[in-house]
């Protein structure tokens, strides 16, 4: 399982676990420690992850940070944890105090759901008041995963991260500013864009008229960009399906005569099932084999991994194999009725995958 899948797996468990996580300590154990483990660090090795790391503050001795990621006997990342329900905003001052008393280059403040990374871009050895990188575990984006991976033990390089931290910080701040301006345009924002298209004096009344127009234009611009990307993605999928259909037809044409005839209706049924399972399994893993009495749709082209069978020669049936490999049949009035059994088909794939996990 790669890094992206590990983060996605942790994120998928979070919502189920949250009702049971009542304390800060439970947040550390259930959310933060698994995250640190995914980042490649052994949470059970104090030479790598030092819990309750002592960061003495002048005359105030015994101050402890929740975790310190260690390298060559020195802390490189200080991690301060809070309960998952807590807002992190008031708590960066605590991490700020720890930061300048150690040789750590990075600070991480988290409640197990939101992760904020800090360093000393403004003043050397003094932690910045705002993070240079932040992400939410349950909706982490691919671009954020690329930045997060730099903190993985296998790729961790202080100089490399520091070189990109400044750009990342200002990039995130600009994105936040643009989002704020697009959502609720400020007076200066409205004035700037109005001047570009309005030839007369910009009065308060003119700005009042242009404010909703500017807001609406940005919304439409963003929606148009999203729609274009969706259209492009759909066209690519159609092209793939068309190419696959041609290949299937070529295979059918090349098949020696065995009394088995793969019909257009069976191929159509195959594509319907495949499309319904896209969100559950990689569609490339879904194949078919035709037989005299039925049309089998398989996982990994393996007869032992039958997703379903289609009976389309006389009466139409969808058949699912139960735990004893016996068929459970569902009558179909037409191929469109396959959509009524999407849940059953998805469950069949999940069961096949769980059996695979147990065997491995």
């Amino acid at each position: 399982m790669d890094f992206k899948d590990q983060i996605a797996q942790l994120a998928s468990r979070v919502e189920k676990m949250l009702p049971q996580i009542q304390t800060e300590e439970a947040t550390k154990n259930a959310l933060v420690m698994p995250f640190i483990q995914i980042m490649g660090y052994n949470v059970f090795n104090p030479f790598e992850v030092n819990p309750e790391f002592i960061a003495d503050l002048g005359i105030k001795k015994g101050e402890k940070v929740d975790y310190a990621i260690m390298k060559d006997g020195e802390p490189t990342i200080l991690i301060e944890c809070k309960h998952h329900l807590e807002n992190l905003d008031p708590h960066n001052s605590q991490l700020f105090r720890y930061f300048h008393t150690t040789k750590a280059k990075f600070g991480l403040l988290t409640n197990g759901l939101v992760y904020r990374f800090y360093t000393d871009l403004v003043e050397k050895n003094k932690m910045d008041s705002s993070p240079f990188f932040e992400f939410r575990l349950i909706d982490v984006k691919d671009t954020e995963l690329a930045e997060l991976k730099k903190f993985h033990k296998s790729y961790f390089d202080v100089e490399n991260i520091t070189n990109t931290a400044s750009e990342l910080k200002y990039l995130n701040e600009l994105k936040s500013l643009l989002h704020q301006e697009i959502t609720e345009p400020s007076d200066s924002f409205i004035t700037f864009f109005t001047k570009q298209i309005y030839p007369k004096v910009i009065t308060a009344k003119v700005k009042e008229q242009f404010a909703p127009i500017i807001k609406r234009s940005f919304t439409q611009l963003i929606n148009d960009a999203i729609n274009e990307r969706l259209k492009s993605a759909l066209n690519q999928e159609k092209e793939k399906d068309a190419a696959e259909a041609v290949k299937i037809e070529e295979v059918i044409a090349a098949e020696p005569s065995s009394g088995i005839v793969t019909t257009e209706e069976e191929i159509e049924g195959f594509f319907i099932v495949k499309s319904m399972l896209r969100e559950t399994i990689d569609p490339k893993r879904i194949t078919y084999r035709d037989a005299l009495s039925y049309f089998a749709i398989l996982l990994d082209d393996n007869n032992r991994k039958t997703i379903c069978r289609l009976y389309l020669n006389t009466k139409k049936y969808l058949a699912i194999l139960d735990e004893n490999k016996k068929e459970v049949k569902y009558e179909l009035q037409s191929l469109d009725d396959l959509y009524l059994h999407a849940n059953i088909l998805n469950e069949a794939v999940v069961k096949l995958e769980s059996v695979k996990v147990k065997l491995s």
Side-chain angles (χ1 to χ4, degrees), residues 106-136:
F106 302 102
L108 170 57
L109 178 63
T110 181
N111 59 8
L113 301 177
V114 177
Y115 290 78
R116 294 178 178 175
F117 290 82
Y118 298 81
T119 189
D120 55 353
L121 294 173
V122 178
E123 188 177 336
K124 193 171 177 62
N125 298 325
K126 186 176 179 182
M127 193 183 88
D128 300 333
S129 59
S130 59
F132 69 90
F133 174 51
E134 177 179 345
F135 74 93
R136 290 180 59 83

Side-chain angles (χ1 to χ4, degrees), residues 85-265:
L85 291 176
E86 282 199 51
N87 183 347
L88 293 178
D89 291 340
H91 296 293
N92 63 345
S93 58
Q94 190 174 7
L95 189 59
F96 179 92
R97 296 199 308 271
Y98 299 145
F99 188 87
H100 80 275
T101 64
T102 71
K103 294 183 179 180
K105 186 64 179 175
F106 302 102
L108 170 57
L109 178 63
T110 181
N111 59 8
L113 301 177
V114 177
Y115 290 78
R116 294 178 178 175
F117 290 82
Y118 298 81
T119 189
D120 55 353
L121 294 173
V122 178
E123 188 177 336
K124 193 171 177 62
N125 298 325
K126 186 176 179 182
M127 193 183 88
D128 300 333
S129 59
S130 59
F132 69 90
F133 174 51
E134 177 179 345
F135 74 93
R136 290 180 59 83
L137 181 65
I138 58 174
D139 58 2
V140 60
K141 302 172 180 62
D142 286 346
T143 52
E144 293 170 336
L145 280 172
E147 296 300 330
L148 178 62
K149 198 170 185 178
K150 293 176 183 178
F151 288 91
H152 191 282
K153 181 183 175 182
S154 302
Y155 309 101
F156 186 78
D157 183 290
V158 171
E159 187 176 351
N160 180 36
I161 299 174
T162 304
N163 289 340
T164 59
S166 179
E167 181 181 337
L168 191 62
K169 176 185 177 182
Y170 294 124
L171 177 67
N172 289 330
E173 288 179 356
L174 281 170
K175 282 167 62 179
S176 177
L177 177 62
L178 285 171
H179 179 269
Q180 183 180 333
E181 291 286 8
I182 291 169
T183 306
E184 290 297 332
S186 66
D187 187 77
S188 57
F189 191 81
I190 295 166
T191 302
F192 174 79
F193 282 100
T194 304
K195 279 183 177 180
Q196 314 304 312
I197 56 174
Y198 189 75
K200 299 180 182 179
V201 177
I202 311 297
T203 63
K205 187 175 181 180
V206 170
K207 285 189 282 188
E208 186 179 342
Q209 291 173 336
F210 269 89
I213 297 173
I214 291 171
K215 184 176 178 179
R216 195 160 61 246
S217 65
F218 271 100
T219 302
Q220 288 183 6
L221 181 66
I222 293 168
N223 288 340
D224 288 346
I226 292 171
N227 288 333
E228 282 301 316
R229 293 195 67 176
L230 287 173
K231 284 179 185 178
S232 176
L234 287 171
N235 287 335
Q236 288 176 9
E237 287 295 326
K238 286 179 181 178
E239 288 172 6
K240 286 180 183 177
D241 286 345
E244 191 168 345
V246 170
K247 288 180 182 178
I248 289 171
E249 288 175 4
E250 290 172 351
V251 170
I252 292 170
E255 282 180 350
S257 179
S258 60
I260 299 173
V261 178
T262 302
T263 65
E264 289 184 11
E265 192 175 35

Side-chain angles (χ1 to χ4, degrees), residues 3 35-43 45 47-49 69-72 76-77 148-158 161:
F3 179 71
F35 171 79
I36 296 173
Q37 194 83 12
I38 290 171
M39 297 304 293
Y41 301 99
N42 185 353
V43 294
N45 180 357
F47 292 103
E48 281 194 17
V49 182
I69 304 297
M70 309 295 289
K71 186 177 182 180
D72 300 327
T76 57
I77 306 174
L148 178 62
K149 198 170 185 178
K150 293 176 183 178
F151 288 91
H152 191 282
K153 181 183 175 182
S154 302
Y155 309 101
F156 186 78
D157 183 290
V158 171
I161 299 174

